[in-house]
Amino acid sequence: HETVAQIVRGNFALQGENHGKPVYKKDTQWNSLDVMIYYWDERDGPNFCGWWFGPKVGGDQVWAYHPERDAVPPPSGWKVPYDGPVDNTFILQSSGAAPAPAAPAASYGQGYQAQAYQRPPAAPPAHGYQPPAQGYPQGYQQGYPGYQQPGYQQQWQAYEQQRQQQEAQRKQHEEAQRKQQQEAQRRAHEEEMRKKREAEMRAKEEQMKRMREMEEKRRVEQKATLEVRKIIQKMRLATPETFDAAQKELEQGMAKELPGCGSQQQALKAEADKCLEESKKRVENLLKARQEEKERKEAEEIKRKEQEAKAKEFIAELTSLVEAAEAGLDKLKQTAAPLTSEDADAKAASLEEVDKATAAMEEAGSEAKAAVAACTDFILEKGPEMKESISAQSAPIPAIAKATMPVLPGAQGPAANDTKQQLAKLLQRINACGKSSDAVMLAGKSGKEDFLRRDAAKKKTEEIEATFLKYDKDK
């Protein structure tokens, strides 16, 4: 690379040190710029570590680069330019304490000078031993005549001592740098761990904050959901009297609480709408049922009153029949008195009177039996109608009344109970009339038979007395 060759060609001398390795400077400038050879470590990354040619140590402008990390610049393998391929004609050659034999420029690779940087002079051979020249750069041979110059060995020892001191300083510097790097790495690691702990603490605090917020949100949602469900439950239990108030409360409660129900909003809204619709239908059905029940009760009340009037007619008619039967019984008792009375004055005194009383008794008994039979026939004829009338006028008995009053068979209300009691009393009177009529008739017949026995006995006694008087000698 001719342009770079014009810049770097020349002799370089030790200038100083950078990153623990020597720095060399060209003895002449190029275009008012210094030409430096220096080493750069890995602080800016492994791609920037190695040996560089440039006008300034660590500068941005460079001309050649070698990635090796040797203690001195490598003699070959340089990339020219720094990001290009290896230029095999770019050769660095060290110079000894005495000038080396001159060589044509072409032997150093397109005119590059061999004296690139200073290296220590070669050690003098021991016992005349000449080391081989293999492995040294072109033109760098230890057996040149400089070994025979006066003071060369002292110069070598002084340089070797200086080199050892520099090497010791370099090692101390590298050890100090290594410790500094370790300390920096330790501090960086501690800082990284501190930042990591702080980041973990912040993350944990953020997580706890989110959890608290989520818990608070869940609590608020639960409270709002509970309030909405209470309102919906009231709507479910609403009656026709409380429906309007419950509907208003539901609308106000949903507007207030539903926004705070979170994910339950849609489900609760659907549930509330369904509940409202079902409650409307239920209330309508209740009102309809109430109206039907009212109409049914009104119809039953009308029918009950009609049957009650009819039952009263039955009772009144039966009562008149019973009273007629009782009147017949009284007449029978009066006509049978001559035969049944214990009073001697009231009894029949003659057979004619007995026969007359008997005939009157039998006639009155027939009338009494006919009256009783009329009552019985009336009951048999009108019984189904009377039973229907009594049942129709039965009214529901309140629960407290059921617990405090006896319930007669077939009676379900005060009116029915009164009618049945009246009917029962009439039946008792009818039975009493029948039994009393039979008893009077039996007593009358018995009284007649007694009279006939007494009359026969009297006649027999009179016949005996007549016979006794007929044959009485004392007479």
Side-chain angles (χ1 to χ4, degrees), residues 298-313:
E298 290 176 352
E300 288 181 353
E301 181 65 17
I302 293 172
K303 184 177 180 181
R304 185 188 65 79
K305 289 181 179 180
E306 291 176 352
Q307 295 297 333
E308 183 179 356
K310 188 179 289 187
K312 289 181 179 180
E313 292 178 0

Side-chain angles (χ1 to χ4, degrees), residues 52 59 91 109-110 121 165 168 178 184-185 196 200 212 220 222 243 245 264 283 302 347 351 359 397:
W52 297 85
I91 301 296
Q110 296 186 1
Q165 291 177 354
R178 185 183 65 79
Q185 290 176 354
K196 184 177 180 181
E200 290 177 352
R212 288 193 297 269
V220 172
Q222 284 183 347
F243 178 79
Q264 298 292 324
V283 168
I302 293 172
K347 284 187 176 181
L351 180 60
I397 303 175

Side-chain angles (χ1 to χ4, degrees), residues 136-153:
Y136 291 90
Q138 184 177 359
Y140 183 79
Q141 298 181 359
Q142 295 177 345
Y144 62 90
Y147 287 114
Q148 307 299 328
Q149 295 179 2
Y152 178 81
Q153 188 169 4

Side-chain angles (χ1 to χ4, degrees), residues 33 39 48 66 89 110 137 209 212 236 241-242 251 273 280 284 297 324 334 338 364 396 415 423 473:
L33 294 176
Y39 176 79
F48 295 94
H66 200 297
T89 65
Q110 296 186 1
K209 181 179 179 181
R212 288 193 297 269
R236 286 197 179 98
E241 293 77 15
T242 62
E251 293 174 354
D273 293 342
K280 285 183 179 179
E284 290 175 357
K297 288 183 177 180
Q334 291 176 2
L423 181 59
K473 293 180 178 181

Side-chain angles (χ1 to χ4, degrees), residues 14 17 42 112 123 136-137 174 195 208 226 228 232 236 312 386 390 417:
L14 182 66
E17 184 178 284
E42 292 185 352
Y112 282 81
Y136 291 90
E174 289 180 353
K195 291 181 178 179
M208 293 297 294
L226 181 61
V228 171
I232 293 175
R236 286 197 179 98
K312 289 181 179 180
M386 293 177 66
I390 295 173
N417 189 42

Side-chain angles (χ1 to χ4, degrees), residues 16-297:
E17 184 178 284
N18 185 64
H19 292 181
K21 299 186 187 299
V23 176
Y24 300 93
K25 181 179 179 181
K26 186 179 175 182
D27 55 1
T28 61
Q29 291 186 331
W30 177 83
N31 198 17
S32 301
L33 294 176
D34 293 332
V35 181
M36 310 292 291
I37 304 176
Y38 63 91
Y39 176 79
W40 198 263
D41 61 16
E42 292 185 352
R43 67 185 61 194
D44 294 329
N47 293 332
F48 295 94
C49 181
W51 289 92
W52 297 85
F53 271 83
K56 180 181 178 181
V57 175
D60 295 334
Q61 183 179 2
V62 292
W63 296 300
Y65 167 68
H66 200 297
E68 290 295 335
R69 306 182 186 185
D70 296 341
V72 294
S76 60
W78 290 82
K79 293 182 179 182
V80 182
Y82 74 94
D83 56 351
V86 173
D87 188 348
N88 293 323
T89 65
F90 193 106
I91 301 296
L92 293 184
Q93 196 169 17
S94 63
S95 61
S107 65
Y108 303 108
Q110 296 186 1
Y112 282 81
Q113 293 295 326
Q115 287 80 13
Y117 60 92
Q118 296 295 329
R119 295 192 61 177
H127 307 291
Y129 172 75
Q130 182 73 22
Q134 296 181 358
Y136 291 90
Q138 184 177 359
Y140 183 79
Q141 298 181 359
Q142 295 177 345
Y144 62 90
Y147 287 114
Q148 307 299 328
Q149 295 179 2
Y152 178 81
Q153 188 169 4
Q154 289 80 4
Q155 183 182 359
W156 168 261
Q157 291 176 354
Y159 182 83
E160 182 66 17
Q161 183 177 3
Q162 181 182 2
R163 187 191 65 79
Q164 290 177 358
Q165 291 177 354
Q166 291 179 351
E167 183 67 16
Q169 292 176 358
R170 184 186 65 79
K171 288 182 178 181
Q172 291 178 357
H173 181 72
E174 289 180 353
E175 180 66 17
Q177 282 190 334
R178 185 183 65 79
K179 290 182 178 180
Q180 289 178 358
Q181 290 178 356
Q182 289 180 350
E183 180 65 17
Q185 290 176 354
R186 183 186 66 78
R187 292 179 179 177
H189 178 70
E190 290 180 353
E191 181 67 15
E192 181 181 0
M193 294 301 295
R194 183 186 65 79
K195 291 181 178 179
K196 184 177 180 181
R197 288 193 298 270
E198 291 179 353
E200 290 177 352
M201 290 296 294
R202 287 194 298 270
K204 188 174 181 181
E205 290 176 356
E206 288 293 331
Q207 183 179 5
M208 293 297 294
K209 181 179 179 181
R210 289 194 298 270
M211 290 179 64
R212 288 193 297 269
E213 292 176 351
M214 290 176 62
E215 180 64 22
E216 179 64 17
K217 182 179 179 182
R218 184 185 64 81
R219 187 188 65 79
V220 172
E221 290 181 0
Q222 284 183 347
K223 182 179 179 181
T225 301
L226 181 61
E227 292 298 325
V228 171
R229 291 195 180 279
K230 286 181 180 179
I231 299 172
I232 293 175
Q233 184 63 20
K234 287 184 180 180
M235 190 74 252
R236 286 197 179 98
L237 301 177
T239 63
E241 293 77 15
T242 62
F243 178 79
D244 293 338
Q247 183 179 6
K248 184 177 180 180
E249 184 179 358
L250 177 65
E251 293 174 354
Q252 294 176 349
M254 293 294 288
K256 178 182 178 182
E257 301 293 347
L258 190 62
C261 294
S263 60
Q264 298 292 324
Q265 287 188 27
Q266 186 174 359
L268 290 174
K269 180 67 168 58
E271 183 179 351
D273 293 342
K274 182 179 178 182
C275 177
L276 179 60
E277 186 65 24
E278 291 177 350
S279 298
K280 285 183 179 179
K281 292 181 180 180
R282 180 173 54 81
V283 168
E284 290 175 357
N285 292 334
L286 283 175
L287 291 174
K288 183 179 179 181
R290 287 184 180 182
Q291 182 63 27
E292 292 176 352
E293 179 67 15
K294 179 181 178 181
E295 294 174 356
R296 183 186 65 79
K297 288 183 177 180

